Amino acid sequence: MESWRNNRLVFAVLALPPTAWLVIFFTVPLIIMWVYSFAERGPQGQIELAINFANYARAIEWIHLGIIWKSIWIAAVTTLITFLIGFPLAMGIAFAPARWKNVLLLLVILPFWTNLLIRTYAWIAVLRTRGFLNFGLEWAHEKLTILFGFFGTAQVMGEFQPLELLYNQKAVVIGLVYVYLPFLVLPIYATIEKLDKSYLEASLDLGAGHWRTLFSVTMPLALPGIISGCLLAFILSMGTFLTPALLGGTDSEMIGNLIARQFSSSRDWPFGSALSFLLLYLTFIILWVRASLAGRKAGPL
Amino acid sequence: MPDSNTIITIRNVVKRFGSSVTAVNDVSLDIRRGEFFALLGPSGCGKTTLLRMLAGFESPSEGEILIDGEDMDGVEPNKRSVNMVFQSYAVFPHMTVHQNVAYGLKVAGTPKGEINQRVGEALALVQLESMADRKPDQLSGGQRQRVALARALVKKPKVLLLDEPLSALDAKLREQMQLELVRLQKSVGITFVIVTHDQNEALSMADRIAVMEHGNVLQLAPPAELYEYPNCRFVADFIGKMNLFDGQVVGARDGRVVVRVNALSDRVGDLELPYDGEARGGVGVAIRPEKLRLSSSEPVDEPVRLRTRIMEVVYYGDENHVFLEAGEAKFTANLQNVSRGAHAGVVRGEDVWISWRQEDTLLLTS
Ligand SMILES: Nc1ncnc2c1ncn2[C@@H]1O[C@H](COP(=O)(O)OP(=O)(O)O)[C@@H](O)[C@H]1O
Ligand SMILES: [Mg+2]
């Protein structure tokens, strides 16, 4: 029988809707943005088409480079923490008994079923000065004070000071780790799950302990998944906007917020477009480095 | 107490998975120092599970395992002086051949100079010196297997465990590796325990074979004894081919029992078979296909002879397999083609006489 790909009409009919969708809602807006990025902002915020690189030059001024650098830094810290939590989690799920696996995976994916905005507000309720976390700490403090009171040393506990957890970079990192954890866990889980477990047994059999096996065998073999997961977490947190907007303070404006501001209060679409494309180029560079690294490894010697 | 000749003692070992699966069911056996030992049985009989208990990847539900006199209860795989060649070889894909073989020495903290020397020796042993810097994906299946062998042998284990080591190789290479494994085992003097479902593999390589079925060891014997004196119908049938008939013991006469085979009694009368045990009731009577003789005229000096019809002749080059019938009784006879056209007269539809020696007949009580 003929492959359906060879039947051009069928192929065209089937391929048309997704292609049209991509062109209308992705490619065309992207091209418009790209054209805008070379335009000029009129006095009332209108867009005056032109060909100049002033927006790009502005984007790499120190003040904006600072924000980009901070975004990279926050994304890096977020990725590191997400990995430290996510890798053991992925291992745990991959090695869990078969009947637990699906339940655990479901728990990881479950947050996706709730709107991100609502989940982020929930973090505000947890982290704010009179939030659940501080309530919990205060309660523990109270009990400890009573406990120390039995020994007549209640004063060592001092007065309870609620922690300043919200509206700073820490809150942003906490929020980002929470949001992007599943993106890191799933690819790592998928590679470990597929891994032939006899590699790990062979390592043990040859006299290696569990830690040695983890670092010498499991992690190198899971590297493709680790890289994918970390890149995903990094790129997504780099471009994030909602989390720093809601949980961050004055010290935690990220490039996403800067871009969003150009399209709203600043009404400077050309500059916003240039910033967006800068972020896009950055992402491309990261992906390109990753692809060429992977290509080199797969090549002969 | 196991004597100093015993390297592995398995005592009343049971392994259950969950409440319904009993993979190994009360196995007791001794493996001797320096022997080539085979666990043979059909798929799912518990061979791998038993091997994995020796390696330490599974722990027995009951019973005990001693390796070189030491109780292995609670001893982790990385603390056991045995090494394993996995069915999938499990050669680390991110390490070179050299790094793979060196891994076990490196984790043991062996000095670098000694590592290089021993890795070199191990690679020479499996003829892979020239491949030391290759990655596993640049090796053939047979070469990967040699890496797995070298990687285990370089640790100088007391016992080398091999799980179906030849099953992934093609027929020619498999035969060659059988010989090579035997040569290797004799030259390093390490006890080999091999798991296989292939009777030819076990017969050709092992010094002793334990035949397993449904988690039980049915018979433990050297290859020739296993083949010539199987102790039950399962072993008789599993090892090689067998003509098997149902019969009843009808009497006993000085070291021999008299057996009536329903399908044969009206043609050959009762059979008098040598048997030094006690036998009564229903028994199995068996004769190997290659022990049947065919002749066109009646072999009058043979006590067991009958006339049969040739139903089918299958030509294998080195052998002809001849399918015969005499009333209810069906036989298979294997004839060696000792010279060209040696069995030109054996054709379908002809009648021939078959005969065999009483002493070659087996009596199977279970
Ligand atoms: N980890 C396990 N969990 C449950 N059942 C198992 C496990 N390993 C083996 N079994 C069962 O135990 C029996 C023996 O398996 P195995 O030892 O692999 O047989 P063999 O190697 O002889 O083919 C099989 O029925 C198999 O399904
Ligand atoms: Mg098996």
Side-chain angles (χ1 to χ4, degrees):
Chain A
M1 220 195 87
E2 214 181 4
S3 159
W4 65 270
R5 278 175 179 280
N6 293 343
N7 191 329
R8 290 181 168 220
L9 186 68
V10 174
F11 186 74
V13 168
L14 284 177
L16 191 66
T19 311
W21 177 276
L22 273 178
V23 169
I24 295 169
F25 294 106
F26 184 73
T27 315
V28 169
L30 210 60
I31 291 170
I32 294 173
M33 292 271 291
W34 189 69
V35 172
Y36 280 1
S37 73
F38 298 103
E40 284 163 15
R41 177 186 189 272
Q44 267 83 49
Q46 66 271 58
I47 296 149
E48 291 169 0
L49 291 184
I51 299 181
N52 70 47
F53 289 85
N55 293 316
Y56 287 98
R58 227 181 110 202
I60 54 173
E61 278 169 12
W62 280 115
I63 176 160
H64 299 129
L65 275 184
I67 291 177
I68 293 173
W69 173 244
K70 197 193 300 161
S71 305
I72 293 177
W73 172 245
I74 290 179
V77 172
T78 299
T79 306
L80 181 70
I81 297 176
T82 313
F83 175 74
L84 291 180
I85 299 172
F87 184 77
L89 193 60
M91 286 261 297
I93 300 173
F95 289 105
R99 64 206 146 94
W100 283 104
K101 243 177 230 183
N102 287 331
V103 178
L104 291 171
L105 273 180
L106 196 71
L107 286 179
V108 170
I109 305 170
L110 205 59
F112 284 137
W113 294 353
T114 313
N115 185 290
L116 177 59
L117 200 61
I118 295 170
R119 285 185 282 144
T120 310
Y121 274 117
W123 272 109
I124 295 180
V126 172
L127 295 176
R128 68 183 165 198
T129 320
R130 303 212 43 79
F132 296 122
L133 196 62
N134 272 319
F135 282 154
L137 289 173
E138 190 173 4
W139 179 85
H141 182 271
E142 209 171 278
K143 297 293 165 211
L144 277 176
T145 311
I146 293 171
L147 188 68
F148 279 103
F150 286 128
F151 305 103
T153 53
Q155 63 278 11
V156 298
M157 291 303 294
E159 192 72 3
F160 176 73
Q161 288 293 331
L163 297 177
E164 289 299 329
L165 295 167
L166 201 55
Y167 306 127
N168 52 35
Q169 283 189 18
K170 271 189 240 95
V172 175
V173 170
I174 292 174
L176 289 177
V177 168
Y178 163 77
V179 174
Y180 296 123
L181 188 66
F183 290 92
L184 182 129
V185 168
L186 292 178
I188 297 181
Y189 163 78
T191 44
I192 296 181
E193 169 67 24
K194 271 190 305 201
L195 209 77
D196 183 352
K197 301 297 180 289
S198 51
Y199 289 128
L200 315 187
E201 290 185 342
S203 172
L204 290 177
D205 187 69
L206 291 166
H210 289 279
W211 288 107
R212 178 73 191 233
T213 301
L214 178 68
F215 289 112
S216 296
V217 178
T218 317
M219 283 182 55
L221 291 181
L223 203 59
I226 292 175
I227 292 177
S228 297
C230 287
L231 275 184
L232 218 53
F234 183 80
I235 291 171
L236 290 174
S237 16
M238 262 288 280
T240 193
F241 142 78
L242 189 70
T243 311
L246 292 184
L247 303 181
T250 46
D251 69 338
S252 30
E253 184 180 47
M254 291 174 70
I255 186 168
N257 308 106
L258 185 62
I259 293 171
R261 192 141 47 81
Q262 305 313 315
F263 288 97
S264 53
S265 56
S266 299
R267 290 177 56 81
D268 192 347
W269 285 36
F271 182 50
S273 302
L275 280 172
S276 301
F277 267 88
L278 209 62
L279 188 60
L280 199 64
Y281 294 143
L282 218 58
T283 308
F284 280 155
I285 290 171
I286 295 171
L287 291 178
W288 172 74
V289 167
R290 186 256 156 100
S292 54
L293 278 181
R296 205 182 55 190
K297 262 185 76 177
L301 286 175
Chain B
M1 210 50 229
D3 59 80
S4 62
N5 253 336
T6 305
I7 188 82
I8 291 181
T9 306
I10 297 170
R11 256 195 230 128
N12 305 107
V13 165
V14 177
K15 178 66 191 181
R16 291 184 210 95
F17 291 109
S19 52
S20 55
V21 182
T22 305
V24 173
N25 189 7
D26 197 9
V27 166
S28 296
L29 56 87
D30 284 348
I31 297 173
R32 295 179 194 146
R33 208 177 283 276
E35 81 175 327
F36 200 129
F37 191 92
L39 289 167
L40 173 66
S43 168
C45 71
K47 313 176 293 283
T48 298
T49 305
L50 189 54
L51 199 73
R52 288 171 59 80
M53 285 194 279
L54 297 181
F57 297 123
E58 310 282 358
S59 45
S61 311
E62 285 170 31
E64 54 181 0
I65 293 173
L66 310 184
I67 296 179
D68 208 8
E70 240 182 282
D71 191 350
M72 286 293 117
D73 186 33
V75 179
E76 292 271 305
N78 52 353
K79 299 283 188 291
R80 297 190 181 199
S81 48
V82 301
N83 283 106
M84 184 142 163
V85 174
F86 290 82
Q87 188 165 8
S88 60
Y89 310 148
V91 175
F92 303 130
H94 60 296
M95 297 183 193
T96 63
V97 169
H98 182 96
Q99 289 168 330
N100 261 285
V101 180
Y103 184 78
L105 298 176
K106 231 165 90 184
V107 299
T110 313
K112 206 165 161 58
E114 190 187 334
I115 290 182
N116 286 337
Q117 187 207 333
R118 279 170 68 179
V119 170
E121 286 167 10
L123 288 178
L125 203 60
V126 296
Q127 290 143 34
L128 277 184
E129 303 105 309
S130 58
M131 310 265 166
D133 296 323
R134 291 216 190 166
K135 281 284 188 71
D137 58 5
Q138 298 166 295
L139 300 177
S140 70
Q143 289 167 334
R144 273 205 287 279
Q145 181 184 45
R146 287 159 190 268
V147 177
L149 266 171
R151 186 175 70 176
L153 285 173
V154 79
K155 295 276 289 176
K156 304 205 164 98
K158 288 178 180 158
V159 182
L160 184 73
L161 309 171
L162 304 104
D163 190 359
E164 309 257 5
L166 307 178
S167 60
L169 306 179
D170 58 61
K172 254 250 147 55
L173 194 57
R174 192 179 316 160
E175 210 162 296
Q176 183 192 330
M177 273 312 285
Q178 284 177 15
L179 292 173
E180 209 165 309
L181 277 178
V182 173
R183 174 191 67 81
L184 200 63
Q185 195 265 333
K186 298 303 171 219
S187 74
V188 294
I190 292 173
T191 311
F192 278 28
V193 179
I194 188 175
V195 156
T196 176
H197 65 268
D198 182 335
Q199 37 129 348
N200 287 326
E201 223 167 271
L203 290 175
S204 63
M205 291 194 287
D207 298 319
R208 290 195 308 153
I209 300 169
V211 181
M212 291 184 69
E213 192 214 8
H214 294 319
N216 296 296
V217 171
L218 299 180
Q219 187 171 8
L220 198 175
E225 186 183 331
L226 211 57
Y227 187 80
E228 299 295 353
Y229 301 98
N231 67 358
C232 62
R233 280 169 191 249
F234 180 85
V235 175
D237 206 37
F238 189 71
I239 312 273
K241 296 210 179 71
M242 198 57 112
N243 295 300
L244 244 169
F245 302 99
D246 289 322
Q248 288 92 39
V249 176
V250 292
R253 243 169 264 162
D254 43 277
R256 296 177 157 245
V257 288
V258 183
V259 180
R260 179 166 302 154
V261 176
N262 306 342
L264 300 177
S265 59
D266 54 332
R267 287 185 167 74
V268 296
D270 295 343
L271 300 173
E272 249 182 67
L273 307 174
Y275 191 73
D276 28 311
E278 199 162 305
R280 66 170 75 85
V283 291
V285 173
I287 178 79
R288 293 276 181 205
E290 74 278 7
K291 296 196 165 64
L292 294 180
R293 269 168 292 178
L294 271 63
S295 41
S296 47
S297 55
E298 183 169 1
V300 283
D301 340 328
E302 299 285 351
V304 189
R305 57 179 188 269
L306 68 157
R307 203 164 165 73
T308 58
R309 163 123 340 141
I310 300 174
M311 306 308 290
E312 193 71 71
V313 181
V314 183
Y315 179 71
Y316 284 99
D318 57 341
E319 280 189 339
N320 288 336
H321 292 185
V322 186
F323 296 91
L324 306 139
E325 267 184 39
E328 303 263 285
K330 289 185 166 61
F331 290 90
T332 309
N334 292 358
L335 304 178
Q336 279 287 321
N337 287 323
V338 287
S339 60
R340 289 180 179 162
H343 305 292
V346 180
V347 284
R348 178 166 45 186
E350 294 289 301
D351 285 352
V352 287
W353 284 91
I354 62 170
S355 59
W356 68 89
R357 305 192 317 165
Q358 302 253 30
E359 306 83 85
D360 289 335
T361 319
L362 271 165
L363 188 72
L364 301 167
T365 51
S366 59

